[in-house]
Amino acid sequence: MNTHKAPNTEEFKVLLKKHDLKATRQRIAVHEAMLTIGHASADMVTEEIRKRGDAKVTVASVYNILSQLADIRIYHRRYSSNSKMYFDVNTFKHMHLYDRENNSYRDVLDEEFMDALYARLKRRKFKGYTIEDIDIQFICRPTAHKAKAITE
Ligand SMILES: [Zn+2]
């Protein structure tokens, strides 16, 4: 899929069916929470589902659903520096701005750059290895004057 959008609930149901998975209430609730949060840990998704009152879930069951969906590439995994597993609802080619103070991610889109990078990598050989994926992350911290701007 070459779009810059995560699958909506209907498209998600189709994806589940393709992988012989039932569109259970819990899986739908997980996906709808992911659509809201974007990049999230199992704790965050569980909190969001409980807030909405969509389904009865535990962190463990949410983690299992997220892992299962990542295994079949409906989500991507992200490893953050607070040693928590984060999941990304967007699986199109994109980069990330990673806020290391708040452990949050923002998508950075630059198709031209990504295409150039893939084209360049195609010409390179890494002996004994096959490149499976590219993961680019800009590590940042919030700028101090942002808080000031709000009070001015
Ligand atoms: Zn992302």
Side-chain angles (χ1 to χ4, degrees):
M1 231 188 304
N2 194 22
T3 64
H4 284 164
K5 263 176 84 180
N8 63 29
T9 304
E10 287 315 304
E11 291 162 339
F12 176 69
K13 285 180 186 170
V14 173
L15 286 171
L16 288 177
K17 206 171 175 186
K18 232 192 254 176
H19 289 93
D20 287 320
L21 292 174
K22 285 208 172 81
T24 61
R25 196 184 165 95
Q26 289 186 335
R27 285 190 183 120
I28 302 294
V30 164
H31 189 64
E32 286 180 344
M34 282 299 285
L35 286 174
T36 304
I37 316 173
H39 308 86
S41 64
D43 292 340
M44 291 161 74
V45 173
T46 306
E47 204 186 296
E48 177 70 21
I49 294 170
R50 285 182 182 159
K51 207 168 73 188
R52 294 164 168 236
D54 280 351
K56 280 208 160 53
V57 288
T58 62
V59 175
S61 67
V62 167
Y63 184 82
N64 288 338
I65 291 171
L66 289 165
S67 297
Q68 184 183 43
L69 295 172
D71 286 344
I72 56 176
R73 311 287 288 171
I74 291 180
Y75 297 152
H76 278 169
R77 286 185 169 88
R78 301 211 56 77
Y79 306 90
S80 78
S81 60
N82 64 350
S83 313
K84 268 194 189 174
M85 176 69 75
Y86 280 70
F87 296 86
D88 191 344
V89 75
N90 293 328
T91 56
F92 50 81
K93 285 177 194 166
H94 67 286
M95 303 178 278
H96 287 99
L97 198 62
Y98 174 56
D99 175 342
R100 63 177 172 79
E101 282 182 17
N102 300 298
N103 290 300
S104 62
Y105 297 93
R106 191 187 291 175
D107 287 341
V108 178
L109 298 177
D110 188 335
E111 222 165 318
E112 209 180 311
F113 176 78
M114 293 301 278
D115 286 348
L117 185 65
Y118 274 91
R120 206 181 159 85
L121 267 174
K122 250 190 208 161
R123 297 196 298 266
R124 296 224 25 191
K125 288 266 181 291
F126 299 93
K127 212 175 169 208
Y129 291 99
T130 305
I131 302 295
E132 288 193 321
D133 212 350
I134 298 174
D135 188 355
I136 298 173
Q137 167 166 300
F138 306 112
I139 298 151
C140 64
R141 57 184 167 78
T143 41
H145 64 262
K146 204 178 170 186
K148 238 188 252 167
I150 294 166
T151 55
E152 268 167 12

